Amino acid sequence: MNYDLLEPSATTTGVVFASPHSGRAYPANMRKTTVLDELALRSSEDAYVDRLIADAPLLGAPLLLARTPRAFVDLNRSPDELDPAVIEGVRRVIHNPRVTSGLGVIPRVVANGRAIYRGKIPLSEARRRIDDHWHPYHAALRALLQRQRAAFGIAVLVDCHSMPHEAIEGMSSGRGPVPDVVLGDRFGAAADAGIVDRIEAAFTAEGLRVARNAPFAGAFIAQRYGRPTQGTHVVQIEIDRALYMDEARVTPLPRFDELRGLMRRVMSDIVDIARPELPLAAE
């Protein structure tokens, strides 16, 4: 299995937490074909996000965690976002900025544009990765959201990611501090505004600065599964890695446990968004 689904002892909310980019199980065949060392490969991970949100099942919410590394297969891309610059036999298609930048479903580069491979990989290998890694994760996610909506009348996917600090440093341009957290709802298309407001309030109550949809509005998962009119909402959360991690060494900072505690309090507020009201006690 290329993912972990951690269930609470009793599911009490329609909220689901997930981390599609914190996987770090690098297959042996990738280690043989890449020109990068493991530290460079790991620069594309949302490293340790799975640990930041590990308490979700204790709060009554299921937790879906990918084991597949993003540098091997990007689970937050469409399976047809194939890059002809890294996969043999793929025809060039209509301009796709993610594919053009090397960040298709089979990534060509990691952070700072460093190439993963010396040449191209066969199309058969790309398809095998998608069949073995992409499809099982999305089958599990789809089933989980359907189950939550059937049980609670609503499903809220909180898709958890982390962002390099340098990705947001340029946002301020002298206008003040940069955000600690960016919420992406594809400008309202993936989730009701009231739900995003509640999630933002949970973070701001902990003293964190929050922005919406810039520079990250949500990618394939938010686009594919966010159907507010049908009762399924997706909010992508991007957390500044500098809050909890030494990005150069890909190691947790001493204050990691402090941020994990903060995230538990935030998640405790979020699960209430899709928790049914308890019946009043008899008089």
Side-chain angles (χ1 to χ4, degrees):
M1 192 71 69
N2 297 309
Y3 63 85
D4 293 306
L5 176 56
L6 307 178
E7 298 274 16
S9 56
T11 302
T12 59
T13 175
V15 173
V16 172
F17 292 92
S19 175
H21 283 165
S22 58
R24 46 190 172 271
Y26 290 90
N29 65 331
M30 183 180 194
R31 295 175 187 274
K32 293 177 181 177
T33 56
T34 182
V35 297
L36 300 176
D37 60 26
E38 185 167 328
L39 191 61
L41 281 176
R42 295 197 65 195
S43 67
S44 69
E45 285 178 23
D46 290 344
Y48 308 110
V49 166
D50 54 341
R51 287 171 51 184
L52 282 178
I53 60 174
D55 291 332
L58 301 177
L59 303 171
L63 176 60
L64 181 63
L65 304 173
R67 295 182 185 177
T68 302
R70 181 184 187 183
F72 190 68
V73 177
D74 192 333
L75 301 172
N76 200 20
R77 296 288 182 264
S78 170
D80 63 4
E81 289 186 280
L82 300 173
D83 184 352
V86 76
I87 303 170
E88 293 175 351
V90 173
R91 294 192 306 175
R92 295 192 179 276
V93 293
I94 297 172
H95 176 69
N96 179 312
R98 292 186 292 270
V99 172
T100 301
S101 63
L103 298 174
V105 65
I106 307 296
R108 172 166 37 94
V109 300
V110 295
N112 299 315
R114 291 170 289 181
I116 297 172
Y117 309 99
R118 183 169 287 108
K120 295 186 179 183
I121 66 172
L123 179 57
S124 59
E125 165 66 11
R127 287 176 171 161
R128 184 190 64 78
R129 294 186 191 185
I130 292 168
D131 287 344
D132 292 350
H133 296 262
W134 192 98
H135 284 294
Y137 181 87
H138 282 272
L141 177 58
R142 186 166 52 250
L144 190 54
L145 294 176
Q146 290 171 349
R147 188 191 79 187
Q148 294 292 85
R149 192 173 65 246
F152 295 95
I154 184 174
V156 179
L157 172 61
V158 182
D159 202 45
C160 299
H161 300 255
S162 65
M163 53 189 175
H165 185 71
E166 66 178 9
I168 52 173
E169 273 186 315
M171 288 181 61
S172 66
S173 300
R175 294 191 297 262
V178 298
D180 301 305
V181 175
V182 177
L183 304 181
D185 63 354
R186 296 191 66 81
F187 300 94
D192 280 350
I195 288 175
V196 188
D197 289 344
R198 292 276 300 273
I199 295 175
E200 179 172 352
F203 280 106
T204 57
E206 293 292 336
L208 297 181
R209 297 181 296 271
V210 180
R212 294 196 192 183
N213 294 308
F216 305 106
F220 174 78
I221 288 173
Q223 181 179 13
R224 171 64 182 83
Y225 297 103
R227 297 289 185 270
T229 59
Q230 299 173 24
T232 301
H233 308 262
V234 180
V235 180
Q236 179 177 287
I237 292 178
E238 296 275 359
I239 302 169
D240 183 0
R241 293 176 187 168
L243 293 176
Y244 70 90
M245 188 175 79
D246 181 325
E247 294 185 70
R249 295 184 176 89
V250 196
T251 55
L253 293 172
R255 61 176 176 266
F256 182 89
D257 287 342
E258 179 183 337
L259 189 64
R260 177 172 171 172
L262 180 152
M263 285 300 299
R264 177 172 177 141
R265 295 191 297 273
V266 168
M267 291 190 298
S268 182
D269 288 343
I270 292 174
V271 295
D272 285 343
I273 294 172
R275 179 170 278 157
E277 295 290 338
L278 295 176
L280 294 175
E283 294 293 339

